Short mmCIF file of all heavy atoms in Angstrom, two decimals:
data_model
loop_
_atom_site.label_atom_id
_atom_site.label_comp_id
_atom_site.label_asym_id
_atom_site.label_seq_id
_atom_site.Cartn_x
_atom_site.Cartn_y
_atom_site.Cartn_z
N ILE A 100 -47.49 49.66 32.12
CA ILE A 100 -48.28 50.60 31.33
C ILE A 100 -48.65 49.85 30.08
O ILE A 100 -47.81 49.32 29.33
CB ILE A 100 -47.53 51.84 30.92
CG1 ILE A 100 -46.94 52.55 32.21
CG2 ILE A 100 -48.32 52.73 30.10
CD1 ILE A 100 -46.08 53.73 31.91
N GLU A 101 -50.00 49.79 29.87
CA GLU A 101 -50.59 49.10 28.59
C GLU A 101 -51.07 50.26 27.86
O GLU A 101 -51.17 51.35 28.34
CB GLU A 101 -51.46 47.99 28.89
CG GLU A 101 -50.80 46.87 29.69
CD GLU A 101 -51.77 45.72 30.03
OE1 GLU A 101 -53.10 45.89 29.79
OE2 GLU A 101 -51.40 44.64 30.46
N ASP A 102 -51.58 49.93 26.68
CA ASP A 102 -52.03 51.04 25.75
C ASP A 102 -53.29 51.71 26.21
O ASP A 102 -53.66 52.67 25.77
CB ASP A 102 -52.20 50.51 24.29
CG ASP A 102 -50.92 50.71 23.54
OD1 ASP A 102 -50.03 51.52 23.99
OD2 ASP A 102 -50.69 50.03 22.54
N ASP A 103 -54.02 50.93 27.16
CA ASP A 103 -55.29 51.59 27.57
C ASP A 103 -55.35 51.59 29.15
O ASP A 103 -56.41 51.87 29.69
CB ASP A 103 -56.45 50.88 27.02
CG ASP A 103 -56.44 49.35 27.39
OD1 ASP A 103 -55.45 48.86 27.91
OD2 ASP A 103 -57.49 48.59 27.12
N ALA A 104 -54.23 51.23 29.72
CA ALA A 104 -54.30 51.19 31.17
C ALA A 104 -52.99 51.21 31.97
O ALA A 104 -51.98 50.74 31.43
CB ALA A 104 -55.03 49.90 31.64
N PHE A 105 -52.96 51.75 33.16
CA PHE A 105 -52.01 51.37 34.19
C PHE A 105 -52.49 50.20 34.87
O PHE A 105 -53.72 50.05 35.21
CB PHE A 105 -51.91 52.55 35.23
CG PHE A 105 -51.39 53.86 34.58
CD1 PHE A 105 -52.30 54.92 34.46
CD2 PHE A 105 -50.08 54.07 34.22
CE1 PHE A 105 -51.87 56.23 33.87
CE2 PHE A 105 -49.66 55.21 33.60
CZ PHE A 105 -50.55 56.29 33.48
N ASN A 134 -48.25 52.59 21.99
CA ASN A 134 -48.34 54.00 21.84
C ASN A 134 -47.48 54.68 22.97
O ASN A 134 -47.03 54.02 23.89
CB ASN A 134 -49.76 54.47 22.03
CG ASN A 134 -50.65 53.96 21.07
OD1 ASN A 134 -50.30 53.79 19.79
ND2 ASN A 134 -51.92 53.47 21.41
N VAL A 135 -47.23 55.96 22.84
CA VAL A 135 -46.56 56.73 23.87
C VAL A 135 -47.46 57.10 25.05
O VAL A 135 -48.61 57.37 24.85
CB VAL A 135 -46.04 57.98 23.21
CG1 VAL A 135 -45.36 59.02 24.31
CG2 VAL A 135 -44.94 57.67 22.14
N HIS A 136 -46.96 57.03 26.31
CA HIS A 136 -47.74 57.34 27.46
C HIS A 136 -46.92 58.22 28.40
O HIS A 136 -45.62 58.20 28.24
CB HIS A 136 -48.17 56.05 28.10
CG HIS A 136 -49.04 55.20 27.30
ND1 HIS A 136 -50.37 55.52 26.92
CD2 HIS A 136 -48.77 54.06 26.62
CE1 HIS A 136 -50.84 54.48 26.21
NE2 HIS A 136 -49.78 53.61 26.01
N THR A 137 -47.56 58.76 29.39
CA THR A 137 -46.81 59.48 30.46
C THR A 137 -47.38 58.97 31.76
O THR A 137 -48.46 58.40 31.92
CB THR A 137 -46.95 60.96 30.36
OG1 THR A 137 -48.27 61.25 30.90
CG2 THR A 137 -46.95 61.56 28.99
N TYR A 174 -52.09 60.07 36.26
CA TYR A 174 -52.83 59.77 34.94
C TYR A 174 -51.81 59.88 33.84
O TYR A 174 -50.54 60.15 34.15
CB TYR A 174 -53.90 60.62 34.78
CG TYR A 174 -53.62 62.03 34.28
CD1 TYR A 174 -54.31 62.56 33.26
CD2 TYR A 174 -52.59 62.81 34.80
CE1 TYR A 174 -54.13 63.82 32.72
CE2 TYR A 174 -52.33 64.15 34.29
CZ TYR A 174 -53.08 64.62 33.20
OH TYR A 174 -52.82 65.85 32.73
N CYS A 175 -52.34 59.55 32.62
CA CYS A 175 -51.48 59.71 31.39
C CYS A 175 -52.01 61.02 30.72
O CYS A 175 -53.18 61.09 30.47
CB CYS A 175 -51.64 58.48 30.51
SG CYS A 175 -50.86 58.77 28.90
N THR A 176 -51.18 61.92 30.46
CA THR A 176 -51.59 63.15 29.85
C THR A 176 -52.04 62.99 28.40
O THR A 176 -52.75 63.85 27.85
CB THR A 176 -50.36 64.27 29.80
OG1 THR A 176 -49.30 63.68 28.99
CG2 THR A 176 -49.93 64.54 31.22
N LEU A 177 -51.65 61.86 27.77
CA LEU A 177 -52.03 61.65 26.40
C LEU A 177 -53.31 60.83 26.32
O LEU A 177 -53.92 60.77 25.24
CB LEU A 177 -50.88 60.90 25.71
CG LEU A 177 -49.57 61.60 25.75
CD1 LEU A 177 -48.55 60.69 25.16
CD2 LEU A 177 -49.59 62.99 24.92
N HIS A 178 -53.73 60.32 27.36
CA HIS A 178 -54.95 59.39 27.39
C HIS A 178 -55.75 59.80 28.65
O HIS A 178 -56.05 58.87 29.43
CB HIS A 178 -54.70 57.97 27.22
CG HIS A 178 -53.89 57.64 26.04
ND1 HIS A 178 -52.54 57.46 26.11
CD2 HIS A 178 -54.26 57.55 24.74
CE1 HIS A 178 -52.02 57.24 24.87
NE2 HIS A 178 -53.04 57.29 24.02
N PRO A 179 -56.10 61.04 28.82
CA PRO A 179 -56.66 61.47 30.22
C PRO A 179 -58.00 60.94 30.48
O PRO A 179 -58.37 60.96 31.58
CB PRO A 179 -56.64 63.01 30.01
CG PRO A 179 -56.66 63.24 28.58
CD PRO A 179 -55.98 62.14 27.92
N THR A 181 -59.05 57.78 29.85
CA THR A 181 -59.03 56.40 30.30
C THR A 181 -58.00 56.06 31.26
O THR A 181 -58.28 55.39 32.17
CB THR A 181 -58.91 55.49 28.96
OG1 THR A 181 -57.74 56.01 28.29
CG2 THR A 181 -60.12 55.52 28.10
N MET A 182 -56.81 56.53 31.07
CA MET A 182 -55.67 56.16 31.82
C MET A 182 -55.52 57.27 32.92
O MET A 182 -54.83 58.17 32.81
CB MET A 182 -54.32 56.07 31.04
CG MET A 182 -54.51 55.02 29.98
SD MET A 182 -53.02 54.99 28.84
CE MET A 182 -51.78 54.38 30.00
CU1 CU B 47 -51.31 56.99 27.64
#
Side-chain angles (χ1 to χ4, degrees):
I100 303 174
E101 297 182 350
D102 271 340
D103 56 353
F105 295 108
N134 300 320
V135 173
H136 300 285
T137 77
Y174 80 132
C175 171
T176 59
L177 303 173
H178 307 95
T181 52
M182 300 176 68

